[in-house]
Amino acid sequence: MTLPRKLSFWIVVSFGFALQGQSAWAGQIPAAQNPAVNLMPLPAKIVFGPGKLKIDSSFRVSLSGYQEPRLLRAADRLIKRLTLLTGIPLPLTLEEDPAKSIFEIRCVGPGQKIQTVGEDESYFLEITSQKAVLRAGTPVGILRGAETFLQLVSLDADSFFMPVLQIQDAPRFPWRGLMIDVCRHWEPVDVIMRNLEAMAAVKLNVLHWHLSEDQGFRVESKVFPKLQELGSDGNYYTQAEIREVIEHARNLGVRVIPEFDMPGHSTAWFVGYPEIACAPGPYAIERHWGVFDPTMDPTRREVYKFLDKFIGEMARLFPDEYFHIGGDEVTGKQWDNNPAIAAFKTANGLKSNDDLQAYFNNKILAIIKKHGKKMVGWDEIFHPDLPKDIVIQSWRGQKSLADAARQGYMGILSAGYYLDHMLPASEHYGVDPLEEETADLSNEQKARVLGGEACMWGEFVNPETIDSRIWPRLAAIAERFWSPQATKDVNDMYRRLDVTGRLVNLFGISDGGNCKAMLRRLAGLHPLAPLRALADIVEPLHLYLRPDVREYTQLTPLNRLVDAARPESTEAREFQALLEGFLADGPSYGVNREKVIEKLVRWRNNEALLRPILDGSYLLKEIIPLSERLKIAAESGLKALDYLVNNLDVPPGWREENLALLEGPEKPEYEVDLVIIPAVRKLVEAAAAGKK
Amino acid sequence: MTLPRKLSFWIVVSFGFALQGQSAWAGQIPAAQNPAVNLMPLPAKIVFGPGKLKIDSSFRVSLSGYQEPRLLRAADRLIKRLTLLTGIPLPLTLEEDPAKSIFEIRCVGPGQKIQTVGEDESYFLEITSQKAVLRAGTPVGILRGAETFLQLVSLDADSFFMPVLQIQDAPRFPWRGLMIDVCRHWEPVDVIMRNLEAMAAVKLNVLHWHLSEDQGFRVESKVFPKLQELGSDGNYYTQAEIREVIEHARNLGVRVIPEFDMPGHSTAWFVGYPEIACAPGPYAIERHWGVFDPTMDPTRREVYKFLDKFIGEMARLFPDEYFHIGGDEVTGKQWDNNPAIAAFKTANGLKSNDDLQAYFNNKILAIIKKHGKKMVGWDEIFHPDLPKDIVIQSWRGQKSLADAARQGYMGILSAGYYLDHMLPASEHYGVDPLEEETADLSNEQKARVLGGEACMWGEFVNPETIDSRIWPRLAAIAERFWSPQATKDVNDMYRRLDVTGRLVNLFGISDGGNCKAMLRRLAGLHPLAPLRALADIVEPLHLYLRPDVREYTQLTPLNRLVDAARPESTEAREFQALLEGFLADGPSYGVNREKVIEKLVRWRNNEALLRPILDGSYLLKEIIPLSERLKIAAESGLKALDYLVNNLDVPPGWREENLALLEGPEKPEYEVDLVIIPAVRKLVEAAAAGKK
């Protein structure tokens, strides 16, 4: 397979407009004077010039070169978004004469009929004080450049404007995805639609749609209608809806890859069709979370007949060249308990359940190929029996990818990009598909690492909470997949992440998801501010702790503080930075002093305001100890600050006493962490360390 | 016509469940202990009992009695909304056995095939600690009761719950509408859809859709396609979209009445069809606001042939029994300038242009009747030549309605309900269709006053701002139309209006519309809080002042502070109340003192924080004087407070000097009022009035 990061170079050169080093452009201004860039992901190359292009009601778009509906829709979308970004009404009609347009879009050719992993996505964007010109080899390249254009819209004392610059851009990896699990909790079409738009805004190009699970089967099958009728509680996508999603995704330059997990994670299939399982059933939709035993029977011809018909139907519905078969977490228990399967293994020389699964995968691969597709599966499908054109999706880490690449297999990385783990953006940002064990691969082997996918598993998200779990953190991962490997400045990433988080509001993804609405629900008719002050400095427990605290099923409401809380507290990050500045300024401690005091005082006083609200809400009573902890922590912090500022020695035992006060339960009933605690602890330690 | 407020009484009685005075219900609790009611509009009658009905995951709905798709959809919507209100996942499947359901819905009969103005909308809702039962004679009554049910969902320290009560309810007026002008600015289908849902939540039952104007023709005509092709800039509803809107409205119990304004306000028709105008043209879509001369020619047969075909097409598209012909603001100039028209008037004994318009209206009325409809028009259509089954919509006031009613004509009131005038909710709330000149009508004449419509004219709203101009103020008007005439407590109205404003968030109408997003756009990448602090205490200039300040056309951006500002400042209202409490507590001035000081200090300090943001935004520079005024006003207020609290005499001239400082420009360039000024003025006057 030819990879686009090679292809794109060729196309840029062929256009004859590549920047020949920075000196190629007379207008270039010194890097030190560059305007702040809010682009996310950062482009491969950017050179600023002097001046700006004013955006006003004279703005007109022209399309020249190759034409197709995707480009017309892209222009229409761009004009509408520019109107939203500026408030200036702009006509949707295109300017026929490129010379008269303010934004000239020139597309060279049609690209692939169905967008492929090898599709050229490179583009060149030049903005002068007179006009902007976007050039690309394919419509997908134009789509990428149009998103860059929209991220450059700025405001100053004179007008809305675009900075004068040249951007030459192409992705580092060709496979940049988001997996959404719509099975553990159902996510209706509008959730998918708005997330597709936001994905395109950060140049992601794959929606990996996890469509079947123990807990639900989410697609209408006309061949096997009991799949959705009995396996979904009525929550499934019709084929017409699937087509609408695919069409919308195509217009945004996003491929849609369906996953039907097999042979495990498949209880919901068996509710309607127990005959394809290894045990007779009956089966019911699984309501709990975990890894379960129901598994397809890999030994019977009827099972493959069923899957041949089913995969054939889905292969026609989903046009992408890849088809994901899951393949993860087969317990093997149903296989071990079935004498016929044991006999089959012996008869066919299959020594282990892994061998049996590889046998199954090979049969499925043949079916998938017959229907014109290539296969993707999780780590577990990797087996030396399989041909080299499969793609391994690694949830285990770079080592799996490195092993696979050395043996000639392609792979994508998901380990490190699990959004449901509730980790800070910086942690995901620090994971690179070509670092750790993959770092030592040869260039040829590295080229087999196609990119990665963030994973939004569905156990603890529903339509109300999913946006806040995906955004804005996904944008940091998207940058990891698109931008040059050296793009690593975490502070600058966070600065731009704030801007990008607001940008995706345009698509109906609100700041912090539905945080405010959910807090309102919790607070009833009480004023919201005290609850919000607390919610702003907590984060949900990391995923692996949460199920220890409370028993969760598909039917458990997700309506507590932990669900309204954002995965990453901006307020706590800012407090941490303020405090670092304060402590670094000892012994005078002038820097940030007032701001630190203001915040600590507000937190100390919050409990008194919040308590009546907590007492009045059955969903909030459980956070009374949390609110009390905040007060205690703020008091400790203020006392520590007092010692520091007045250069006093702390009394004996004060340090130990206060550090003990700051200790909280490891697995609190309320399922969130008070994330300003580490900063307060630093303050206590600094006070205890004594005079400088 | 039999009016529903009579009908409903009969139906209530016929059910045999009418409350026989308050004593009918053994569970009744004393009024003084009644829980707070957050219903809006208030029901006709409500009696509370002891206890509550817990809402948890066992909640199930049953439908018994008459069945139809509207009821199934209503149940589906109710369950989904209850899930949103509580966060508890609830199955959509209905309980077959009413005895086992928690919410039993019983509908007696089908009601009208097409919802009419005479439709019975009454319902009876009984909630015990075991279950809720909603009964009504028609599906529309059930829809009204379901909205009441949802408004009763409450939260306490134990659970989500419903108070135990009985509500017997029916509307005061049968015609309770909102007019939306989609011509001056275009409003896409989703704007209409979400506003329909919010309208239904406050029991409004008419969407009056103003579809043609000088500035745009907004419906697809298949018979005369140049109407939309040349008259709309591409911004029109397809007939399929119109049908979707009508279907959605029907499911919500809302009638849809189209208005095609004629013979004036019709420039956009003439762009495609100049032959129906009185002057040859050519015509272009009007971009300015005002009253314009282009008018249909009432003397030529071809014009009526055209209108017959057009009205026939629209009468088939819109099923409602009424058809609105506008008829307002004909200048008569084109008629006066056309000798053929003058000759026609003479030949037909028409003495004035009013007579000519009445002639036109009679011809149109015949066409409308031929197509099975009844006619509605603005004040100007009222003419003794017309038959008694027309409806007059009064923009002039109760006098028009009274005059019409005395002569046997039906009418609805819109004067006093113009949302674009940017008046406080209390002002609209104080206007009653049966007060002022209509108060003296006989009961028979009063019955001809069918209700009213709020008007959302489109000159200064677009899809981004319209929600904040309609909501929450419309809910106060809706209460005026539904609730008993004696419902007049303004403070209680505002308390409930806050709750209702949040309720409509469920339908995608966010708090204060897109206020936050618009302020963000104005502030660029700066922090938002200082701009928000200012925006929270300004209100847009009242409509009639705004065009004096700046020349506005359809193409003028609506992206300034005035557009982001909410029509009514809650913050200013609250400050006013705080200050009243403070002043009433002289000479000790202890009440609210800290809160008043805190606010004034915050406002005084705001200018320093805000100034760099204003300097950096071309759209905000104009409000620099406004920000300075806030600082000056806050300083005056603080000084006055100091004199009062310390019981000091103000220096000579201090009062005059400070009152002068508080004076602002009458028509400021920034187009908003600083609405805390009157409260500060009171403080200055109180200080000047001296020691108590």
Side-chain angles (χ1 to χ4, degrees):
Chain A
M1 197 183 65
T2 317
L3 295 178
R5 54 185 183 278
K6 292 173 186 166
L7 248 184
S8 64
F9 179 70
W10 176 81
I11 285 185
V12 168
V13 171
S14 79
F15 287 166
F17 57 73
L19 294 171
Q20 306 292 337
Q22 301 206 338
S23 62
W25 198 28
Q28 191 188 337
I29 54 178
Q33 294 166 33
N34 281 349
V37 181
N38 298 308
L39 294 170
M40 192 158 215
L42 280 178
K45 189 163 187 184
I46 181 165
V47 182
F48 288 97
K52 58 187 186 172
L53 172 65
K54 198 170 169 175
I55 301 290
D56 60 23
S57 59
S58 69
F59 183 86
R60 295 292 179 281
V61 177
S62 66
L63 289 179
S64 52
Y66 171 74
Q67 305 268 348
E68 65 160 50
R70 261 190 302 182
L71 291 167
L72 289 168
R73 290 203 193 92
D76 191 80
R77 216 165 45 234
L78 181 128
I79 296 168
K80 285 178 180 159
R81 287 189 192 165
L82 195 57
T83 288
L84 271 179
L85 288 168
T86 62
I88 301 169
L90 298 169
L92 291 172
T93 42
L94 298 181
E95 172 57 52
E96 304 258 316
D97 178 1
K100 288 187 188 157
S101 68
I102 302 294
F103 188 26
E104 186 180 335
I105 297 176
R106 289 170 55 180
C107 184
V108 173
Q112 302 293 320
K113 201 169 171 198
I114 304 295
Q115 188 181 329
T116 65
V117 68
E119 189 93 18
D120 173 33
E121 300 181 89
S122 67
Y123 67 91
F124 180 74
L125 176 65
E126 178 169 24
I127 300 174
T128 69
S129 57
Q130 301 306 307
K131 70 184 301 176
V133 180
L134 171 63
R135 284 175 278 197
T138 66
V140 177
I142 294 293
L143 293 172
R144 304 293 172 250
E147 298 291 351
T148 300
F149 179 90
L150 288 167
Q151 289 192 4
L152 288 167
V153 176
S154 308
L155 170 74
D156 69 10
D158 296 318
S159 66
F160 285 102
F161 72 94
M162 319 279 295
V164 165
L165 51 69
Q166 293 182 343
I167 287 175
Q168 182 185 338
D169 202 9
R172 181 170 165 227
F173 292 106
W175 188 307
R176 306 177 307 280
L178 169 66
M179 187 222 68
I180 302 183
D181 166 13
V182 297
C183 302
R184 267 61 175 248
H185 282 94
W186 167 241
E187 304 293 347
V189 168
D190 59 336
V191 171
I192 305 300
M193 291 297 203
R194 66 179 181 246
N195 276 284
L196 279 170
E197 295 199 56
M199 284 169 68
V202 294
K203 301 185 170 61
L204 290 173
N205 67 358
V206 174
L207 169 66
H208 165 177
W209 210 353
H210 187 81
L211 289 165
S212 74
E213 257 303 341
D214 295 307
Q215 293 87 358
F217 190 97
R218 303 299 185 197
V219 179
E220 175 192 29
S221 168
K222 294 182 196 286
V223 182
F224 300 108
K226 284 189 284 180
L227 285 171
Q228 74 273 11
E229 284 167 9
L230 300 181
S232 77
D233 301 305
N235 290 323
Y236 64 89
Y237 308 107
T238 64
Q239 294 199 357
E241 286 172 327
I242 297 274
R243 281 189 205 96
E244 277 173 36
V245 168
I246 291 169
E247 174 68 14
H248 190 52
R250 175 173 165 77
N251 282 321
L252 294 162
V254 178
R255 301 161 50 211
V256 177
I257 298 175
E259 176 184 352
F260 294 98
D261 210 341
M262 57 184 89
H265 281 289
S266 47
T267 308
W269 305 53
F270 307 151
V271 185
Y273 299 93
E275 61 269 30
I276 62 170
C278 317
Y283 293 88
I285 296 173
E286 181 58 59
R287 301 299 178 189
H288 293 78
W289 310 142
V291 178
F292 301 95
D293 295 330
T295 310
M296 292 174 185
D297 186 339
T299 69
R300 280 185 292 119
R301 189 174 297 178
E302 299 73 31
V303 174
Y304 296 107
K305 268 176 126 170
F306 181 102
L307 291 173
D308 182 25
K309 278 192 202 165
F310 174 76
I311 290 171
E313 183 186 20
M314 293 301 131
R316 288 187 295 278
L317 184 60
F318 292 91
D320 197 82
E321 63 182 322
Y322 283 93
F323 194 96
H324 202 304
I325 63 144
D328 56 321
E329 299 182 321
V330 176
T331 66
K333 274 196 199 157
Q334 274 201 348
W335 291 349
D336 294 339
N337 293 340
N338 182 323
I341 292 176
F344 181 89
K345 280 164 71 176
T346 310
N348 289 273
L350 301 167
K351 289 178 188 136
S352 67
N353 283 339
D354 282 355
D355 286 351
L356 182 57
Q357 191 175 349
Y359 170 87
F360 173 82
N361 288 344
N362 255 316
K363 302 277 276 185
I364 297 299
L365 180 66
I367 293 172
I368 284 173
K369 288 203 167 203
K370 173 183 157 194
H371 295 295
K373 304 290 184 183
K374 298 173 183 170
M375 189 165 98
V376 196
W378 297 98
D379 272 331
E380 290 92 328
I381 69 160
F382 177 50
H383 194 284
D385 283 359
L386 290 169
K388 299 289 191 273
D389 63 354
I390 66 167
V391 173
I392 310 292
Q393 178 165 18
S394 175
W395 61 271
R396 291 178 176 160
Q398 284 93 335
K399 182 169 186 304
S400 315
L401 287 190
D403 292 347
R406 283 202 185 88
Q407 295 183 50
Y409 289 92
M410 292 181 292
I412 53 178
L413 184 66
S414 281
Y417 303 127
Y418 273 36
L419 295 166
D420 55 318
H421 283 188
M422 300 288 155
L423 301 171
S426 55
E427 201 150 320
H428 299 306
Y429 196 62
V431 176
D432 194 297
L434 289 176
E435 291 178 3
E436 307 293 330
E437 288 90 343
T438 43
D440 298 333
L441 294 175
S442 71
N443 283 344
E444 191 190 348
Q445 289 163 347
K446 280 183 176 173
R448 293 184 192 124
V449 177
L450 302 179
E453 283 184 7
C455 290
M456 184 70 261
W457 293 108
E459 284 88 345
F460 295 95
V461 294
N462 62 20
E464 200 174 35
T465 62
I466 191 168
D467 290 355
S468 74
R469 273 62 187 133
I470 297 178
W471 301 100
R473 295 179 302 151
L474 179 61
I477 300 173
E479 174 155 294
R480 178 58 52 238
F481 296 156
W482 177 281
S483 303
Q485 186 166 5
T487 312
K488 302 239 170 181
D489 182 334
V490 169
N491 286 333
D492 192 59
M493 178 276 285
Y494 272 117
R495 185 184 63 76
R496 291 177 293 111
L497 194 66
D498 281 350
V499 180
T500 310
R502 288 182 220 161
L503 176 74
V504 298
N505 293 354
L506 284 186
F507 315 119
I509 289 166
S510 63
D511 291 18
N514 291 294
C515 173
K516 188 175 169 189
M518 295 179 76
L519 293 179
R520 277 236 170 105
R521 183 166 69 203
L522 288 167
L525 296 170
H526 292 280
L528 200 60
L531 182 58
R532 194 147 197 187
L534 180 61
D536 278 347
I537 49 171
V538 301
E539 292 175 4
L541 286 188
H542 295 172
L543 175 72
Y544 38 87
L545 290 173
R546 208 173 154 182
D548 293 351
V549 177
R550 195 186 303 273
E551 198 203 332
Y552 276 96
T553 73
Q554 197 173 40
L555 307 174
T556 310
L558 299 177
N559 62 356
R560 296 172 180 263
L561 180 66
V562 57
D563 303 298
R566 281 163 262 193
E568 187 166 12
S569 163
T570 303
E571 174 94 2
R573 200 176 68 238
E574 287 171 359
F575 181 66
Q576 171 92 23
L578 281 177
L579 199 68
E580 278 166 16
F582 171 80
L583 290 175
D585 189 43
S588 69
Y589 299 108
V591 171
N592 297 338
R593 188 200 292 182
E594 290 313 311
K595 285 182 180 167
V596 169
I597 292 176
E598 188 193 321
K599 281 186 189 287
L600 288 170
V601 167
R602 182 164 170 240
W603 289 331
R604 183 192 60 195
N605 297 345
N606 198 62
E607 155 71 1
L609 302 170
L610 183 54
R611 191 53 175 272
I613 303 172
L614 305 186
D615 284 338
S617 166
Y618 87 101
L619 291 167
L620 288 176
K621 279 190 297 185
E622 67 192 19
I623 67 166
I624 289 174
L626 177 71
S627 177
E628 286 168 344
R629 280 192 69 206
L630 176 60
K631 184 181 178 185
I632 291 167
E635 282 169 345
S636 276
L638 284 166
K639 192 73 197 159
L641 193 137
D642 190 44
Y643 287 129
L644 281 172
V645 167
N646 294 307
N647 202 10
L648 299 171
D649 284 327
V650 305
W654 181 89
R655 172 181 171 276
E656 292 67 25
E657 186 192 330
N658 278 270
L659 289 179
L661 284 173
L662 295 177
E663 286 299 315
E666 198 196 341
K667 294 174 184 176
E669 192 196 352
Y670 41 76
E671 300 178 64
V672 297
D673 268 338
L674 192 57
V675 287
I676 57 150
I677 294 283
V680 176
R681 201 174 278 134
K682 269 190 200 166
L683 200 51
V684 169
E685 291 283 16
K691 301 176 188 177
K692 278 209 185 179
Chain B
M1 197 183 67
T2 317
L3 294 178
R5 54 185 183 278
K6 294 174 186 165
L7 248 184
S8 64
F9 179 70
W10 175 81
I11 286 184
V12 168
V13 171
S14 80
F15 287 165
F17 57 75
L19 295 171
Q20 306 292 336
Q22 302 207 338
S23 63
W25 198 29
Q28 191 187 337
I29 53 177
Q33 295 166 34
N34 281 348
V37 181
N38 298 307
L39 294 170
M40 190 160 218
L42 280 178
K45 187 163 188 183
I46 181 165
V47 183
F48 289 97
K52 57 186 187 175
L53 172 65
K54 196 169 170 176
I55 301 289
D56 59 23
S57 58
S58 69
F59 183 86
R60 295 290 180 281
V61 177
S62 65
L63 289 179
S64 51
Y66 171 73
Q67 306 268 347
E68 66 160 47
R70 263 190 301 183
L71 291 167
L72 289 168
R73 288 202 194 93
D76 191 80
R77 216 165 43 235
L78 181 129
I79 296 168
K80 284 178 181 160
R81 286 190 191 164
L82 194 58
T83 288
L84 271 179
L85 287 168
T86 61
I88 301 169
L90 297 170
L92 292 173
T93 42
L94 298 179
E95 172 57 53
E96 304 258 316
D97 179 2
K100 289 188 188 155
S101 68
I102 303 294
F103 188 26
E104 185 179 335
I105 298 177
R106 289 170 55 180
C107 185
V108 172
Q112 302 295 319
K113 199 169 171 199
I114 305 295
Q115 188 180 330
T116 65
V117 69
E119 188 94 19
D120 173 32
E121 302 181 89
S122 66
Y123 66 91
F124 179 74
L125 176 65
E126 178 170 24
I127 300 175
T128 69
S129 57
Q130 301 305 308
K131 71 185 300 176
V133 180
L134 171 63
R135 284 174 280 196
T138 67
V140 176
I142 294 294
L143 293 173
R144 303 293 173 250
E147 297 292 350
T148 300
F149 180 89
L150 288 168
Q151 289 191 5
L152 288 166
V153 176
S154 308
L155 170 74
D156 69 9
D158 296 318
S159 65
F160 285 102
F161 72 94
M162 319 280 294
V164 165
L165 52 69
Q166 292 183 342
I167 287 175
Q168 182 184 340
D169 202 8
R172 181 172 165 226
F173 292 106
W175 188 307
R176 307 177 308 279
L178 168 67
M179 188 223 66
I180 302 183
D181 165 12
V182 297
C183 302
R184 270 59 175 248
H185 281 97
W186 166 240
E187 305 293 347
V189 168
D190 58 336
V191 172
I192 306 300
M193 291 296 204
R194 66 180 181 242
N195 276 284
L196 279 170
E197 296 199 55
M199 285 168 68
V202 294
K203 301 186 171 56
L204 291 173
N205 68 358
V206 174
L207 170 68
H208 165 177
W209 210 352
H210 188 81
L211 288 165
S212 74
E213 256 304 339
D214 296 308
Q215 294 86 358
F217 191 97
R218 303 299 184 196
V219 179
E220 175 192 28
S221 168
K222 294 183 195 286
V223 182
F224 300 109
K226 283 188 286 180
L227 284 170
Q228 74 273 11
E229 284 167 10
L230 300 180
S232 76
D233 301 304
N235 290 324
Y236 64 90
Y237 308 106
T238 64
Q239 295 200 357
E241 286 172 327
I242 298 273
R243 281 190 206 97
E244 277 173 35
V245 168
I246 291 169
E247 173 68 14
H248 189 52
R250 175 172 165 76
N251 282 321
L252 294 163
V254 179
R255 300 161 51 213
V256 177
I257 298 176
E259 175 183 354
F260 294 97
D261 210 341
M262 55 185 90
H265 282 288
S266 48
T267 308
W269 306 53
F270 306 152
V271 186
Y273 299 93
E275 61 268 29
I276 62 170
C278 317
Y283 293 87
I285 296 172
E286 180 60 57
R287 302 298 179 189
H288 294 79
W289 310 141
V291 178
F292 301 95
D293 296 330
T295 310
M296 292 175 187
D297 186 339
T299 68
R300 281 185 288 121
R301 187 173 299 176
E302 299 72 32
V303 173
Y304 297 107
K305 270 175 122 171
F306 180 103
L307 291 173
D308 182 24
K309 279 192 201 164
F310 175 75
I311 290 171
E313 183 186 19
M314 293 300 129
R316 287 187 296 277
L317 185 59
F318 292 90
D320 198 82
E321 62 182 323
Y322 283 92
F323 195 95
H324 201 304
I325 63 146
D328 55 323
E329 298 180 324
V330 176
T331 67
K333 275 197 199 155
Q334 275 201 349
W335 291 349
D336 295 338
N337 294 340
N338 182 326
I341 291 176
F344 181 89
K345 280 164 70 177
T346 311
N348 289 272
L350 301 167
K351 288 179 187 134
S352 66
N353 283 339
D354 282 355
D355 287 351
L356 182 56
Q357 191 175 348
Y359 170 88
F360 173 83
N361 289 344
N362 257 314
K363 302 277 278 185
I364 297 299
L365 180 65
I367 293 171
I368 284 174
K369 288 201 169 206
K370 173 182 155 194
H371 295 295
K373 304 289 183 182
K374 298 173 182 170
M375 191 164 96
V376 196
W378 297 98
D379 272 332
E380 291 92 327
I381 70 159
F382 178 48
H383 195 282
D385 284 359
L386 290 169
K388 300 287 190 273
D389 63 353
I390 66 166
V391 173
I392 311 291
Q393 177 165 19
S394 175
W395 61 271
R396 290 178 177 159
Q398 283 94 335
K399 182 168 185 308
S400 317
L401 287 190
D403 292 348
R406 284 201 184 88
Q407 295 183 48
Y409 290 92
M410 293 180 292
I412 53 178
L413 185 66
S414 281
Y417 304 128
Y418 272 36
L419 295 166
D420 55 319
H421 282 187
M422 299 287 153
L423 301 171
S426 55
E427 202 149 320
H428 299 306
Y429 196 63
V431 177
D432 194 298
L434 288 177
E435 292 179 2
E436 307 294 331
E437 290 89 343
T438 43
D440 298 332
L441 294 175
S442 70
N443 283 343
E444 192 190 348
Q445 290 163 348
K446 278 185 177 171
R448 294 187 191 120
V449 177
L450 302 179
E453 284 185 5
C455 290
M456 183 70 264
W457 293 109
E459 285 89 344
F460 294 95
V461 293
N462 63 20
E464 200 173 37
T465 62
I466 192 168
D467 290 354
S468 74
R469 273 65 186 129
I470 297 178
W471 301 100
R473 295 179 302 151
L474 179 60
I477 301 173
E479 175 155 292
R480 178 57 53 238
F481 297 155
W482 178 281
S483 303
Q485 187 167 4
T487 311
K488 301 239 170 184
D489 180 334
V490 169
N491 286 333
D492 192 58
M493 178 276 284
Y494 272 118
R495 185 184 63 75
R496 291 178 293 111
L497 194 66
D498 281 350
V499 180
T500 311
R502 287 181 221 163
L503 177 73
V504 298
N505 293 353
L506 284 186
F507 316 119
I509 288 166
S510 62
D511 290 18
N514 291 293
C515 173
K516 187 175 170 190
M518 295 179 76
L519 293 179
R520 276 240 170 102
R521 183 166 69 202
L522 289 167
L525 297 171
H526 291 280
L528 200 59
L531 182 59
R532 192 147 199 187
L534 181 61
D536 278 347
I537 49 171
V538 301
E539 291 175 4
L541 286 189
H542 296 172
L543 176 72
Y544 40 87
L545 290 173
R546 206 172 158 183
D548 292 352
V549 177
R550 195 188 302 274
E551 198 203 332
Y552 276 97
T553 73
Q554 197 173 39
L555 307 175
T556 310
L558 299 178
N559 61 358
R560 294 171 182 265
L561 180 65
V562 57
D563 303 297
R566 280 163 264 194
E568 187 167 12
S569 164
T570 304
E571 174 94 4
R573 199 175 70 240
E574 287 171 358
F575 181 66
Q576 172 93 21
L578 281 177
L579 198 68
E580 279 166 16
F582 170 81
L583 290 175
D585 190 44
S588 69
Y589 299 108
V591 170
N592 298 336
R593 187 200 294 182
E594 290 312 311
K595 284 182 181 167
V596 169
I597 293 178
E598 186 192 323
K599 281 186 191 288
L600 288 170
V601 167
R602 182 165 171 238
W603 290 330
R604 182 192 63 195
N605 297 345
N606 199 62
E607 155 70 2
L609 301 169
L610 183 55
R611 191 53 174 272
I613 304 173
L614 305 185
D615 285 338
S617 166
Y618 88 102
L619 291 168
L620 289 175
K621 278 191 297 187
E622 67 192 19
I623 68 166
I624 289 173
L626 177 71
S627 177
E628 286 168 345
R629 281 192 69 206
L630 176 59
K631 183 183 178 185
I632 291 166
E635 282 167 346
S636 275
L638 284 167
K639 192 72 197 159
L641 194 136
D642 190 44
Y643 288 129
L644 281 170
V645 167
N646 295 308
N647 202 11
L648 300 171
D649 284 326
V650 305
W654 182 86
R655 173 182 171 276
E656 293 67 25
E657 185 192 330
N658 278 270
L659 291 179
L661 283 173
L662 295 177
E663 286 298 315
E666 198 197 339
K667 294 174 183 175
E669 191 195 354
Y670 41 76
E671 299 179 67
V672 297
D673 269 338
L674 193 57
V675 288
I676 58 149
I677 295 281
V680 175
R681 202 175 278 131
K682 270 191 200 165
L683 201 51
V684 168
E685 292 283 14
K691 300 175 187 174
K692 280 209 185 181

